[in-house]
Each structure stands twice: as C-alpha cells, then as structure tokens.
Amino acid sequence: MTEPDAPRAVAAPTLTDGEWHRLHPLTPLFRGGLFLVVVAGIVIANLRDRLVFLFLPWFDDDIDRDIREFESGGDPVDFIIANNLYLVAGLALLGILAVLIGLFYLSWRFHTFRITGDDVEVRSGVLFRTHRRAPLDRVQGVNLTRPMLARLVGMAKLEVVGAGLDANVKLEYLSTGNAEAVRADILRLASGSRQARAERVDPGIVSRRAAAASVVSAGITGLIEGAEEPVSEPESVVHIPVGRLIASRLLSSSTLWLVAITVAIVVGSIAGTPWVLFTLIPALLGFGAYWVRTITRSLRYSIAPTPSGVRITFGLFTTITEILPPGRVHAIEVQQSLLWRPFGWWAITVNRLSGRGLSDGTTDQFTTVLPVGTRSDVERVLRLLLLDLPEAEWPLVFEHGLLGPREADPYTNTPRRARLLRLLSWRRNGFQLSPDVLLMRRGAIWRTLAVFPLARLQSIGLEQGPLDRALRVASVRAHTIAGRVSGRLGIIDRDAALELFGTAEAAVIHAAARDHTHRWAQGEASDPEGGAGMDPRTDPLEVPR
C-alpha cells in the first residue's frame, strides 16, 4: 500500500541526507547541448545551398549552378544516393545517436553529489575523475540561476559560494523545487543550525533503484509540462520602475563616452577623413548591445529579507537568485553620478567573497545589490545589510554621509591647507569612525559613501608620499576582500589619520568579539519564524554601548 508514496520519499528534503544523489536526468543535454548545436550549425552551413535548392528550386538560378559545381567535386549525399546506401547511412546516424546517448548517460551516471552536516561534495568524470568539496563552515552563500532554456523545463542550477579563489561548487542541474529546498538546507546547515528533521518514511522502504526511477520520472514530467514551477518568493522591499531603470542606464558614464566618441568621429570626418564616419556604426551597435544587456540583466529585480539572509533576484532571460547572509558583506558603497543627482537616484555595490576565478566575467553582476533607487530605497536596502547598526548612528549614513556636509559635520575632512589637492571635494572628503562601522565619504561630482563593518575589517594602513609629508596629510586604506568598493581615502590630516589608526584597532577587536551575524540562523531553533537569526541585536552576548 505504500508503493504509490515511494516517489515522494526522494523529494528535496532527502537530498541533504548525507547519501550520494544524481542530478537531473537532462543535465548532460544542457551541459553538452552547445557542442551539438555547433555540430548542427556546421552541417547546416555546409548544406545550406543544397537545402535551398531542394525546397526553393525557383529561388535563384545561381544556386543550381553552385550545386552542380559542388557535386562535380564529390558530394557525400550524391554518393549515398548513387550507390543506394540509404540503409547504411541511416544505421550510421543511429549509431552516432546511440553513442551520444551513451556518453550522456555515462556523464549523468558518474556525476553525483551529497550534502552532509559538514560538506557539499561533487564527483564527476568517467575516465578522469574529479572530486570537489566545499566545507559548510566556509560557505558564503548559495546562488540559484535559472537560464531561459532551463526554465522552460523547470530546471535550475545551484552554485555554492566558497571562501577562496575558484572555490565554488556547482550543482547543475536540479529541478527548480529541489534547488530551492536544497539551497535552504545548505544555508541552514552552514549557519550552524543542526536541527533533526523527522523522516516521513522509513529509509529502508525506498531502494536506490526506486529513487533513481523517481528522479527520471520527475525529469520526464518536467520536460512534458514545460513551464517552470512557480517559486515562492518573498515580497520585495524595493520596486524599480522599468522607465527609471532604462533612464538610469542611458544617463550613465557610458553615454558620456559615446558622446565623446561621436564628437571625435565627426570632427575627424570634417578635418578631411570622411571614412572615419563608418566607425560610428560599430560604436553605436556596441553601446546599444551594452545598454540592452545591462537593462535586461537588471529587470525582474527584487530584494527581500529571509531567515537565511537577504534574497536578491534579477535577470529577464537568465534569472539569478542569490542569498547574502548577514555577516558575509565586507564593504558597502552608495554612489551617485552627476547625471543622477537631479532625480535623486543612487546605486549600491558590495564587496563579498564570490568564490570565482579572476577570469570569470560574471563576477560583477553579483556585486550590485541595488541598480538604481531613491533615497528611501537606499535606506531599505542598507537596513537589510546593516542589521546591527544602532538607530543613533543612521544620521551618519544619510544626513551627513550621503547628503553632507551639513552644519555640525561630524566627519574628519581634508584640512584647508591641502584643499588644492581636492579642489572640489575637500569639504566632503573625510571619514567617521563609529562603534560599529567605518564610513568614508568621497567626491563632489560623483558622490560615494563607503561603509566598512568593523567586525569584518581586516586591517587599516596609512600611506604618505613626499607631498603628503610637506602638507602634513596622509592616506588611509581600509583593507577588505577585493572588490569594487575602494577602501582608500586620501589627503587626510596626518594626526587624525594616526588617531584613527590607533582607535580602529580596539574598535575592530571589540566589534568582532560581539559579532554573531555569521551564524545567521543560530536563533532558528528558538524562533519558529526565523526572526532571531536575522537580528543580531537580540544576542545576549552583546556588550552595551
């Protein structure tokens, strides 16, 4: 009587039971499908004229002449027809197809993964085996990507973000429902929550053969149904209108570069080289493709708090969902260009461990947590990323940091004697150290505010050149993991920089000692809603300020 319930026993919860499991049966097709597309493209390109001649014989007489010239050189299709080798050719095609299916099956058969209480492991390869392992205590997050074609059959891929260079472990592909559940389990295990989950069925009832059969059945069902299963997503705290997103990309530095290039091309053509005008078309096409790519990548944007961290989703064709657990963000930068200032728009980027190699071109898309937003949007996002910042310190971020300087400015700015080195921004160029964060304010034309949580600040350095020594100023550098957020602030009074150097040491030690945001689900057992794991201010070990 329990036979009909057996397939449900291998649903997502059992994928983190410490046993080896296989990926979605269609995984080899999507991973090796590019090779088949290339081969098919080459074949179609070589037979293009023949196909046109067969299906559109009246299209062009020149095609007939080209076909005859090609046939005189020895066409394999004509050889098959002339020698009546239809059966041999059909068997050869079936043999090639069988070999491809066999290779795909072996690839799927030998590609397994398991998730234990300590590691995420992936084994792959038939002749040359690879075994990758990501310790859960080093996991920085789990990204979920749904490419457009994979979404049509209800598939997604997971990327477990490690703490080192090229340390990520990928699970591609799983069904969308399984991927969501596995990601939640990995995050819960990585956070230190080792809650025992009740088994819905006896593990001995379901054999490995039944488990594999249910996985294959689920894959075939997803292929037939086609559409991606609905994914439950929390309500986003920020909604970006499409018009604002498009306008923000047009009012960017790339537009200024396009205008400058266009002016240079027009001036060059007027000066006596008209052929330079032809270079304007590739420039317009290149910038147009860049704008379309950046706009489509930022569509469907949402950001919301979850018990596992801040959930960020973006992408129109390829949808990417990542989780930024509290305590994994090492630096935050809020920036505003001169073209955005009349509209009050800002963007937010972060420094975080991505686990990707330096040659990976997809790293930058994981650093932007707010493509464009108003001040209220910025405040909502920052309050998600800076959970432990007290209410009394928020004016340092908004009133004095983003919009300053104002009266009674608490920031330590560039001294008047060195204002020629920061002619436009010397009143804005400064820092402020609080018990929780180090704030660096820069720029008058392109305004930026960098926020460095002290609990994750690695070190602080001072730099001074010959001109700096003559003016008694120095440069301060906050060291974090590499990223787009710069930790350098120049032309600061030397004595103020030395005081910061000494004060920050004690502040960093104190902040790191009472920080528990890296254990983001530690309070999950006591709070069924998961709220305690999201707010480190409720930690009983917090030292009163």
Side-chain angles (χ1 to χ4, degrees), residues 231-259:
V231 179
S232 176
E233 293 192 10
E235 181 67 22
S236 176
V237 301
V238 173
H239 299 279
I240 304 177
V242 177
R244 181 200 300 171
L245 181 61
I246 296 175
S248 67
R249 292 301 173 261
L250 296 178
L251 297 175
S252 62
S253 58
S254 59
T255 303
L256 298 179
W257 279 108
L258 177 60
V259 172

Side-chain angles (χ1 to χ4, degrees), residues 409 411-431 441 464 467-476 489-497:
D409 185 16
Y411 280 70
T412 301
N413 302 313
T414 297
R416 181 178 293 271
R417 63 178 179 273
R419 64 182 182 274
L420 292 179
L421 300 181
R422 293 289 187 273
L423 188 60
L424 299 178
S425 62
W426 68 277
R427 294 181 182 273
R428 245 188 84 82
N429 190 72
F431 70 88
R441 186 179 64 188
Q464 191 180 51
L467 184 58
D468 293 339
R469 287 195 293 270
L471 295 174
R472 302 192 311 280
V473 295
S475 297
V476 179
L489 181 67
I491 320 301
I492 297 297
D493 182 75
R494 180 191 61 187
D495 296 335

Side-chain angles (χ1 to χ4, degrees), residues 147-163:
M148 182 174 63
L149 294 180
R151 284 164 53 192
L152 297 178
V153 293
M155 293 169 57
K157 61 180 178 181
L158 288 181
E159 184 175 15
V160 182
V161 181

Side-chain angles (χ1 to χ4, degrees), residues 278-447:
F278 291 102
T279 62
L280 184 60
I281 296 177
L284 292 175
L285 293 177
F287 278 97
Y290 169 77
W291 283 323
V292 171
R293 185 172 64 253
T294 55
I295 290 171
T296 56
R297 193 170 61 186
S298 300
L299 290 174
R300 297 182 63 181
Y301 167 86
S302 68
I303 180 170
T306 69
S308 301
V310 181
R311 178 185 176 115
I312 304 174
T313 302
F314 55 91
L316 177 62
F317 301 115
T318 297
T319 302
I320 299 176
T321 302
E322 63 170 334
I323 295 289
L324 279 179
R328 302 307 192 190
V329 177
H330 292 248
I332 306 169
E333 184 176 77
V334 186
Q335 51 193 337
Q336 182 189 62
S337 67
L338 182 64
L339 298 177
W340 286 11
R341 194 168 304 170
F343 307 96
W345 296 340
W346 303 81
I348 300 179
T349 57
V350 298
N351 282 1
R352 51 161 296 200
L353 287 175
S354 64
R356 296 172 178 268
L358 296 176
S359 60
D360 195 330
T362 61
T363 302
D364 285 343
Q365 65 182 340
F366 294 99
T367 63
T368 302
V369 297
L370 180 63
V372 58
T374 60
R375 175 186 167 176
S376 59
D377 297 335
V378 171
E379 183 173 358
R380 295 189 192 100
V381 173
L382 289 183
R383 288 185 181 274
L384 294 179
L385 300 177
L386 299 172
L387 288 172
D388 54 350
L389 190 66
E391 192 65 31
E393 297 182 18
W394 281 106
L396 296 175
V397 177
F398 292 103
E399 300 299 330
H400 299 288
L402 296 179
L403 305 177
R406 297 189 172 184
E407 294 184 4
D409 185 16
Y411 280 70
T412 301
N413 302 313
T414 297
R416 181 178 293 271
R417 63 178 179 273
R419 64 182 182 274
L420 292 179
L421 300 181
R422 293 289 187 273
L423 188 60
L424 299 178
S425 62
W426 68 277
R427 294 181 182 273
R428 245 188 84 82
N429 190 72
F431 70 88
Q432 172 64 25
L433 179 66
S434 75
D436 299 278
V437 294
L438 172 63
L439 303 167
M440 289 186 176
R441 186 179 64 188
R442 294 183 292 259
I445 299 178
W446 278 272
R447 293 179 175 179

Side-chain angles (χ1 to χ4, degrees), residues 71 76 187 396 475 524:
E71 291 174 352
L187 289 171
L396 296 175
S475 297
E524 188 178 346

Side-chain angles (χ1 to χ4, degrees), residues 484-534:
R484 293 174 58 182
V485 181
S486 172
R488 189 178 186 278
L489 181 67
I491 320 301
I492 297 297
D493 182 75
R494 180 191 61 187
D495 296 335
L498 290 173
E499 183 180 358
L500 173 65
F501 186 83
T503 307
E505 179 183 2
V508 168
I509 294 175
H510 181 67
R514 57 186 172 83
D515 178 69
H516 297 278
T517 54
H518 60 291
R519 311 287 283 186
W520 61 87
Q522 195 158 14
E524 188 178 346
S526 59
D527 185 2
E529 299 297 331
M534 286 294 295

